């Protein structure tokens, strides 16, 4: 189906299919603040089982899921170690500090988002003397579409646990890593105390994230959700979409990954783009362009009904480039990719 627009901005832009809307409209519901909604309970049990964790909590967004994890793991004045480009540091409006009073220590990562294990070891603070005390290591997979090797996650979480630090995985796009690598959700669940998983990214639900962890932790997280105003009532309508997404949209992430690699390969035939193949692991393609061409390319694509985010300045190979990211998802089909390729091939800016 040729849509009016081809929207490569994010995998959050997907709209629920007719089948998903159907199951939403038929969902059994109750008041979830009374723990009375059978569909929410079914979703929480399903995601807890996937991760082989005892408990789960359904939340309105991935940002709230990470924030509640932080508020539950940490006290005011505690420190969280994370990565410099990671979502909890870079894209959550400083919520952890504003609302949790925690200090976030963002370690530099390599281009694919990996934290160096020695840097982690030397950054952990015991809270002696004047130091804050490090309470949480928060990692991310995928990081901007890049799969973090499970051996590396294993090593980093071991370092943290050996130092008595809790571990959280921001798994907003963990489903993409699961499908790409063949590792189970549980294989990641075993490494981390808590994990958050988004239903509204590549999985295609309109709303929702699930946080998994131990029973006491999830009870305390439930109270945090209430404090933040995130308790919902007949939210089974939304949970039904999440259940549908896990049943029908998980394996099809392979198609998004295939489409992204086709797109990367075709874009690299256009000399205006320097496609970063080493950064293109799952459903996000990165392509750099000379700084003076970034705005005109963006306008050219927009005038041809192609939506992309503005390119961001980056330093790569020792010079400044502007980097576009193109995200594939369940509303991107062959025609959309061809439209983008054909359109960028006639760019003369
Ligand atoms: C999208 C995303 C989130 C949170 O997303 P919401 O828009 O709040 O649902 C958190 N972490 C990562 C890595 C993400 O990509």
């Amino acid at each position: 189906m040729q849509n009016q627009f081809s929207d490569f901005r994010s995998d959050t832009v997907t709209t629920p299919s007719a089948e998903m809307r159907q199951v939403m409209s038929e969902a059994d519901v109750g008041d979830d603040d009374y723990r009375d909604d059978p569909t929410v309970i079914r979703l929480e049990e399903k995601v807890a089982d996937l991760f082989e964790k005892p408990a789960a909590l359904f939340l309105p967004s991935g940002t709230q899921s990470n924030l509640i994890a932080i508020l539950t793991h940490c006290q005011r004045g505690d420190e969280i170690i994370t990565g410099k480009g990671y979502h909890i540091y870079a894209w959550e409006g400083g919520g952890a500090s504003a609302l949790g009073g925690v200090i976030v220590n963002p370690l530099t990562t390599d281009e694919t988002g990996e934290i160096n294990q020695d840097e982690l070891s030397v950054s952990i603070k015991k809270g002696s003397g004047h130091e804050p005390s490090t309470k949480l290591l928060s990692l991310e997979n995928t990081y901007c579409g890049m799969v973090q090797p499970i051996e590396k996650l294993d090593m980093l979480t071991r370092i943290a646990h050996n130092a008595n630090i809790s571990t959280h995985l921001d798994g907003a796009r963990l489903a993409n890593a699961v499908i790409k690598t063949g590792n189970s959700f549980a294989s990641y669940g075993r490494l981390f105390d808590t994990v958050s998983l988004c239903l509204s990214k590549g999985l295609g639900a309109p709303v929702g994230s699930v946080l998994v962890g131990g029973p006491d932790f999830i009870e305390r997280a439930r109270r945090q959700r209430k404090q933040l105003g995130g308790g919902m009532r007949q939210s089974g309508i939304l949970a039904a979409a999440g259940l549908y997404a896990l049943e029908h949209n998980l394996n099809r992430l392979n198609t998004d990954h295939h489409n992204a690699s086709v797109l990367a390969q075709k874009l690299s035939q256009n000399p205006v783009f320097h496609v970063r193949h080493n950064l293109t692991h799952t459903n996000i393609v990165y392509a750099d362009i000379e700084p003076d061409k970034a705005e005109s390319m963006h306008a050219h694509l927009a005038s041809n009904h192609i939506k992309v985010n503005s390119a961001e300045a980056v330093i790569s190979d020792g010079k400044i480039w502007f980097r576009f990211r193109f995200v594939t998802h369940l509303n991107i089909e062959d025609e959309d990719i061809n439209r983008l390729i054909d359109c960028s091939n006639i760019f003369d800016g």
Side-chain angles (χ1 to χ4, degrees):
M1 183 190 72
Q2 184 73 275
N3 294 318
Q4 195 189 349
F5 287 98
S6 298
D7 196 341
F8 290 92
R9 289 173 302 171
S10 178
D11 45 11
T12 56
V13 302
T14 56
T15 51
S17 63
E19 296 78 16
M20 183 181 276
R21 288 170 193 255
Q22 181 77 23
V23 302
M24 293 172 76
S25 72
E26 290 167 0
D28 283 334
V29 295
D31 188 328
D32 184 54
D33 259 16
Y34 288 101
R35 313 279 299 270
D36 260 359
D37 190 304
T39 310
V40 172
I41 291 171
R42 206 149 56 82
L43 174 66
E44 290 174 344
E45 285 176 352
K46 183 178 172 100
V47 178
D49 286 351
L50 268 182
F51 281 97
E52 295 175 9
K53 289 286 191 198
L57 184 66
F58 181 48
L59 296 156
S61 71
T63 298
Q64 195 183 93
S65 193
N66 285 334
L67 176 60
I68 286 179
I70 290 165
L71 293 174
T72 310
H73 280 295
C74 302
Q75 302 290 315
R76 301 183 73 81
D78 286 342
E79 181 194 64
I80 303 171
I81 294 179
T82 193
K84 192 160 173 215
Y86 290 10
H87 207 271
I88 70 155
Y89 174 66
W91 301 106
E92 298 187 359
S97 302
L99 300 166
V102 298
I103 171 170
V104 181
N105 180 4
L107 304 188
T108 9
T109 66
D110 70 12
E111 246 196 326
T112 61
E114 284 186 44
I115 286 175
N116 176 280
Q117 62 267 25
D118 293 334
E119 200 177 345
L120 172 61
S121 297
V122 301
S123 301
I124 292 172
K125 300 170 191 62
K126 299 269 180 269
S128 53
H130 297 189
E131 295 172 341
S133 88
T134 311
K135 277 290 158 56
L136 183 66
L137 171 68
S138 183
L139 301 180
E140 188 170 310
N141 193 24
T142 63
Y143 164 72
C144 299
M146 295 172 245
V147 175
Q148 305 297 295
I150 196 162
E151 304 74 27
K152 185 65 181 284
L153 298 176
D154 184 35
M155 186 189 298
L156 294 172
T157 51
R158 269 173 209 276
I159 291 170
H161 289 145
N162 287 339
N164 277 322
I165 289 164
S166 301
T167 54
H168 174 67
L169 178 62
D170 176 355
R173 293 197 178 94
L174 187 63
N176 295 87
V178 163
I179 293 302
K180 178 73 185 193
T181 61
N183 297 326
S184 63
F185 284 101
S187 66
Y188 294 103
R190 277 194 281 279
L191 305 181
F192 291 87
D193 297 308
T194 57
V195 184
S196 63
L197 172 73
C198 278
L199 302 166
S200 61
K201 295 248 157 113
L203 291 172
V207 169
S209 173
V210 181
L211 176 66
V212 298
D216 295 347
F217 183 92
I218 293 296
E219 271 324 296
R220 288 188 289 128
R222 191 180 295 282
R223 187 173 159 74
Q224 294 288 353
R225 184 181 69 173
K226 193 68 202 167
Q227 290 188 336
L228 292 175
M232 298 179 285
R233 301 295 180 172
Q234 287 72 33
S235 40
I237 298 262
L238 301 173
L243 281 163
Y244 181 92
L246 288 168
E247 277 155 28
H248 296 89
N249 293 345
L250 184 58
N251 289 322
R252 67 152 304 289
L253 291 174
N254 268 319
T255 306
D256 297 344
H257 300 167
H258 172 75
N259 287 344
S261 69
V262 168
L263 175 58
Q265 195 268 328
K266 289 187 172 174
L267 272 183
S268 58
Q269 287 161 15
N270 182 339
V272 90
F273 286 119
H274 294 251
V275 175
R276 300 297 176 183
H277 294 283
N278 61 322
L279 309 183
T280 301
H281 296 188
T282 55
N283 68 326
I284 307 183
V285 177
Y286 293 93
D288 295 349
I289 189 167
E290 297 286 348
D292 61 342
K293 295 200 167 78
E295 259 184 52
S296 48
M297 175 61 90
H298 188 258
H300 172 69
L301 296 176
S303 67
N304 285 279
H305 306 286
I306 296 166
K307 293 188 184 186
V308 296
N309 292 328
S310 297
E312 284 186 16
V314 295
I315 296 174
S316 197
D317 309 331
K319 63 172 263 191
I320 294 180
W321 294 90
F322 273 65
R323 178 163 293 170
F324 282 105
R325 66 165 213 176
F326 302 100
V327 185
T328 59
H329 50 76
L330 58 75
N331 295 149
I332 290 291
E333 299 179 4
D334 293 349
E335 291 86 342
D336 300 294
I337 290 175
N338 293 336
R339 180 191 268 175
L340 173 58
I341 296 300
D342 293 346
C343 176
S344 56
N345 282 341
I346 57 164
F347 172 72
D348 59 8

